[in-house]
Amino acid sequence: MKSVIFVFLFLLMGTLCKSQVKVKIHSKEGYEGYEAFADRAADSLETVLNSTKFRDAIRDGVFTHRNGKANLEIFEIIMQAHEVDGPGGKDSVVDLRLRTITRAKDGKKWSKRRCSRKTVGRDGGSSGVTATCPQKLALWKKNDEVGRLAGHYMHEYMHVLGFHHKKGNKYESAVYKIGYIVRDIISGEL
Ligand SMILES: [Zn+2]
């Protein structure tokens, strides 16, 4: 009887732990003054990813640029957290590497003006490093909009997982919409 209970508990633990994912920031380059804000965004992102609200939003979402995957397959890819780009890390851990955009690193076209407008950041090509406009970091911190930063991390992380929005209406893509889902759950709009 005892062994049956143990097996049952073991299986139960396996089920409970299965869909849990962690968020880990490995590096923050140029984040002076924003480290704590980035940590808060990572914590909020972790809470969202493990919520039923997030799973339901993905299940019920309508996405383009989905790499041929069904909605819940996209959800599973996120939960597996197996990075395609960059150095990655452990599976089931969203491995984030962060830096700010600088003219020296990103070139002239990433001028102050571009970052002051709609642009939030870039995924850093295939480096797996999420680059963020310092102007946006400052603005969001000032307005206490941690959801916007977490949503941006999610957007860039979708790229690291191999999703893109190259052609067509990018705002309908899985990358954009899942970033917005994270933002809206944290801000309470979803
Ligand atoms: Zn993008």
Side-chain angles (χ1 to χ4, degrees), residues 155-156 159 165 175-176:
H155 175 117
E156 306 305 343
H159 286 306
H165 49 70
V175 174
Y176 265 89

Side-chain angles (χ1 to χ4, degrees), residues 120-163:
V120 165
R122 61 191 300 211
D123 63 356
S126 57
S127 67
V129 180
T130 290
T132 306
C133 289
Q135 292 86 347
K136 291 294 184 301
L137 268 182
L139 180 72
W140 295 338
K141 191 188 171 201
K142 186 172 134 246
N143 296 339
D144 199 31
E145 293 175 307
V146 76
R148 287 193 182 269
L149 185 58
H152 161 58
Y153 289 160
M154 189 65 216
H155 175 117
E156 306 305 343
Y157 188 66
M158 289 299 290
H159 286 306
V160 175
L161 290 179
F163 291 87

Side-chain angles (χ1 to χ4, degrees), residues 102-119:
T102 63
R103 198 186 158 115
K105 256 205 156 160
D106 301 279
K108 242 197 206 156
K109 68 174 193 162
W110 286 88
S111 64
K112 234 178 168 176
R113 199 159 143 249
R114 180 166 181 181
C115 261
S116 305
R117 293 184 172 187
K118 242 184 152 181
T119 305

